[in-house]
Amino acid sequence: MSTASADSALARARATLREHLPRRRAQWTAPAAPSRDERVILQRYMDAADRADAAVAELLRQDALVTMPPGPLWVAGRDAIEDALARTCDPASPAYFGRWRHLPTRANGRPAAAGYVQRPGTAVYRAQVLDVLRIENGMIAEITAFEPHLFPAFGLPLTLSAATGD
């Protein structure tokens, strides 16, 4: 996209936002906190992910989507997501990534899980991914994963102790 095209798109986007948002920023409402049901699903997601359990797939809609902007990661469908997780969560797999711990947070008004991984042979859990969940009708419809450099902006530590999980 050229600079002129980008400037034009931004101008149109700003005009659209001005039409839909209150004139003064102070009047904008904060996103609603995740509902009780969303918090329960988030906790189930984190518990299953910590155990590297297939229960993660049970929380996904059949047409669930995982993306990781700005990177090219795009996994569509519960079966494809489950296959990708199986390879990285199985200690017997050459693609095994390590043991996981998750902390709850929220991003853009949505429930989110801060994922930390303890790689084989290391003594701490390091920040790895921030999973923002879009939940529809009690199921995870989309997971948008962000890189760990965002953790400090959410008040999240970059490491957790392997001994305590803190």
Side-chain angles (χ1 to χ4, degrees), residues 25-70:
R25 187 177 184 113
Q27 297 170 332
W28 295 4
T29 58
S35 70
R36 181 186 176 287
D37 289 343
E38 289 174 325
R39 289 190 307 272
V40 167
I41 291 168
L42 173 64
Q43 188 62 54
R44 288 178 57 206
Y45 172 80
M46 292 188 308
D47 291 345
D50 284 354
R51 294 187 313 268
D53 191 325
V56 168
E58 295 169 9
L59 298 169
L60 302 173
R61 281 187 0 184
Q62 189 63 37
D63 63 345
L65 177 66
V66 175
T67 61
M68 192 170 192

